[in-house]
Amino acid sequence: GAVSPVFFRTSNPFISAPGGNFARRAMLQKVLSLSMEYDMLPRGGRVLCAVSGGADSMCLLHLLGELAKPGGFTIAAAHFHHHLRGAESDRDAAFVAQWCAARDILFVMGEGDVNAQAQSRGLGVEETARQLRYDFLRQSAEALDCTRIATAHNADDNLETLLLHLVRGAGLHGLSGIPPRRDGIVRPLLACSRAEVLSYLAEHGIPHVEDSSNSDEAYARNRLRHQVVPVLRDLNPRLSEGVAATCLLYTSDAADE
């Protein structure tokens, strides 16, 4: 009812832009290390990459394309149209569809009326959007026989999540932040900072779209990002990386219990 997948298929494998500079090597090393530790990119499997069109997801899509052939796996891309930002949402969907079509990447798009679903479910818009998006990703992964779903959460996202958990109160589980892997959902960029993502995009000339809602400080996460994190980063310029390492330690400890 709420999700309507539309499939587009093309023939050739994704071929990424060449390059061997520092940003590429550093990103690849971090992504490979985390992916190997958590078996994120299994040989012989297909990985469904969730792509909003933003900086993080475009970086992830490109990186997975570079790793696919040597890693022995294939990739597909998925975009969910939330119908929340009018023409801007339409622009995002068209951007991702055109990018994938031009590079012969298997692509699937779904859509849902988030506002209507939020009212019928008695939930907030953000939570409803998240539920619809993950429902769509799981349905698409099953339809395309994908063994993993990759999302583009990075170290800065992890930092913000940890701070939100601390503000609202959390136990050890909450202090571990965003899990690198939960069931079939994996986050290969979790050890990479937003600054590294932007450097990678600039190095490769990869375009992306900006979500105007990211500047709306009505959302608690955005207030943390714009008002709190800069103060903490003044105290520790490598804040995101340090918190990412700490969260991974908590994750490992929790897994060992």
Side-chain angles (χ1 to χ4, degrees):
V3 175
S4 304
V6 180
F7 293 90
F8 303 84
R9 180 153 194 154
T10 48
S11 55
N12 297 326
F14 174 70
I15 308 248
S16 64
N21 295 331
F22 175 76
R24 174 182 177 274
R25 292 197 304 271
M27 289 283 290
L28 285 174
Q29 182 58 46
K30 286 188 175 183
V31 170
L32 279 172
S33 178
L34 194 64
S35 297
M36 291 176 65
E37 182 176 355
Y38 289 93
D39 190 24
M40 293 184 178
L41 309 172
R43 182 172 292 274
R46 174 179 285 161
V47 178
L48 182 66
C49 182
V51 186
S52 67
D56 303 318
S57 64
M58 292 301 294
C59 175
L60 178 60
L61 182 61
H62 188 273
L63 273 167
L64 291 180
E66 290 222 317
L67 295 173
K69 187 173 181 179
F73 63 91
T74 58
I75 63 171
H79 177 84
F80 187 75
H81 192 322
H82 298 87
H83 290 283
L84 287 173
R85 292 176 287 115
E88 188 177 282
S89 291
D90 296 336
R91 175 209 65 182
D92 295 355
F95 168 75
V96 177
Q98 291 165 10
W99 175 271
C100 291
R103 288 154 185 80
D104 295 323
I105 301 171
L106 176 61
F107 174 67
V108 56
M109 182 167 66
E111 58 182 353
D113 188 335
V114 174
N115 281 319
Q117 286 292 314
Q119 289 184 354
S120 67
R121 298 182 184 199
L123 297 171
V125 170
E126 282 186 285
E127 176 59 22
T128 302
R130 189 191 69 82
Q131 289 184 6
L132 291 179
R133 184 168 60 253
Y134 276 97
D135 286 347
F136 158 70
L137 290 171
R138 291 186 181 97
Q139 291 169 17
S140 298
E142 183 176 358
L144 296 175
D145 196 26
C146 296
T147 51
R148 300 285 188 275
I149 298 168
T151 69
H153 294 89
N154 62 36
D156 288 34
D157 296 318
N158 208 10
L159 168 62
E160 294 159 9
T161 297
L162 177 63
L163 291 174
L164 283 170
H165 287 170
L166 285 171
V167 168
R168 294 167 178 169
L172 181 60
H173 176 73
L175 293 178
S176 65
I178 300 171
R181 175 179 172 183
R182 177 176 289 162
D183 300 324
I185 298 172
V186 298
R187 280 107 182 185
L189 295 183
L190 205 56
C192 304
S193 70
R194 171 85 173 175
E196 288 176 302
V197 167
L198 294 176
S199 293
Y200 184 93
L201 294 182
E203 181 181 322
H204 290 279
I206 302 168
H208 67 279
V209 295
E210 291 286 351
D211 182 343
S212 62
S213 68
N214 287 336
S215 61
D216 185 353
E217 294 192 2
Y219 298 109
R221 181 178 290 272
N222 289 344
R223 290 200 300 278
L224 280 172
R225 180 180 302 157
H226 300 303
Q227 298 178 22
V228 176
V229 170
V231 176
L232 297 175
R233 191 159 278 133
D234 281 343
L235 298 174
N236 178 6
R238 294 186 59 81
L239 178 68
S240 295
E241 293 89 334
V243 168
T246 301
C247 285
L248 289 173
L249 286 175
Y250 273 119
T251 299
S252 299
D253 290 344
D256 291 340
E257 289 179 355

